[in-house]
Amino acid sequence: MPSNMSLFSVNAILILSTDDRSRILTKYYSAPHAPPGSTNQPGANPYPTVKEQKAFEKGLLEKTNKQTSDVILYDGRVVVFKMEGDVMLYVVGGGDENEIMLFGVVLALRDALAILLKNSTDKRTLIENYDLLSLAVDEIIDDGIILETDPVIISSRVSKPPTQDIASVKNIDLSEQGLLNAWEFGKLKLAERMRQL
């Protein structure tokens, strides 16, 4: 039985533009219980500085630009990726990580973005809808741990407000009479509380 049993499986999730090689969204994760500052520990962030991250991303874009496969081993890490329009979606895991599981994450991200953005996954649309993109990534991965891979569930959690809040908002009367009624109700309740003390 392996001594390193952990749910931590994703080192980074990267969304990069292929046109100008710019970053759209990059998140690097470190294992929650790895010693700080160690880069050779399983699950430790191997690219702690922005300079190292950008060098890794530049090399990754150059390596995957002409690839026909969806899985590569780069810098000792398993990298799965998908090209969508002018954007590359990457999920980076450790060298011994399960490629099929990581590929499920990149497919979930691609499909959730297709649902949320109505099949318009390009750089401009992603930047305009950065809030949805960031929430979708957070619904899929939390601190390197895969939470959800069903794109329908991910997009429904990202796009809909909580149902209990909607019910209470629909019943509020915001007319002048409604506000006066709320004021009178508040005064009455405050007076009752004061009498109880």
Side-chain angles (χ1 to χ4, degrees):
M1 186 156 114
S3 62
N4 186 20
M5 295 288 292
S6 174
L7 292 175
F8 182 82
S9 54
V10 177
N11 288 115
I13 187 159
L14 313 169
I15 301 175
L16 307 173
S17 171
T18 56
D19 292 342
D20 56 359
R21 300 181 183 276
S22 63
R23 302 168 118 190
I24 297 173
L25 180 132
T26 59
K27 282 195 168 193
Y28 288 84
Y29 303 103
S30 293
H33 302 294
S38 66
T39 59
N40 58 355
Q41 185 83 6
N45 184 359
Y47 314 105
T49 65
V50 175
K51 183 179 178 182
E52 291 173 339
Q53 290 173 3
K54 286 188 176 185
F56 172 73
E57 294 161 11
K58 180 182 176 190
L60 192 59
L61 266 171
E62 290 171 358
K63 175 103 175 176
T64 58
N65 205 13
K66 305 269 193 282
Q67 287 285 332
T68 56
S69 66
D70 293 329
V71 180
I72 63 168
L73 187 64
Y74 180 74
D75 199 22
R77 310 246 167 241
V78 174
V79 179
V80 295
F81 60 95
K82 275 291 190 192
M83 176 126 178
E84 285 294 312
D86 60 348
V87 174
M88 289 290 271
L89 309 172
Y90 294 99
V91 175
V92 181
D96 58 345
E97 201 54 62
N98 186 346
E99 301 92 8
I100 297 171
M101 184 172 60
L102 295 176
F103 194 66
V105 171
V106 82
L107 289 179
L109 178 62
R110 181 196 66 180
D111 295 342
L113 290 175
I115 293 169
L116 289 168
L117 304 175
K118 298 172 181 48
N119 290 326
S120 177
T121 309
D122 58 357
K123 180 182 177 184
R124 181 174 179 230
T125 308
L126 287 175
I127 291 173
E128 288 174 356
N129 296 290
Y130 193 82
D131 55 343
L132 295 177
L133 170 63
S134 181
L135 288 170
V137 168
D138 287 343
E139 284 295 327
I140 297 170
I141 300 169
D142 184 34
D143 284 335
I145 299 171
I146 300 169
L147 298 177
E148 184 65 60
T149 57
D150 185 358
V152 175
I153 293 174
I154 295 163
S155 60
S156 69
R157 286 181 184 166
V158 168
S159 61
K160 286 194 304 190
T163 54
Q164 68 271 14
D165 294 343
I166 290 176
S168 64
V169 170
K170 286 183 180 177
N171 296 332
I172 294 176
D173 182 17
L174 294 177
S175 66
E176 186 176 342
Q177 185 59 43
L179 292 175
L180 286 174
N181 289 343
W183 174 257
E184 290 300 321
F185 181 75
K187 279 184 9 184
L188 180 68
K189 288 295 180 183
L190 183 62
E192 286 177 9
R193 294 287 262 171
M194 297 297 282
R195 277 188 248 129
Q196 290 176 356
L197 297 175

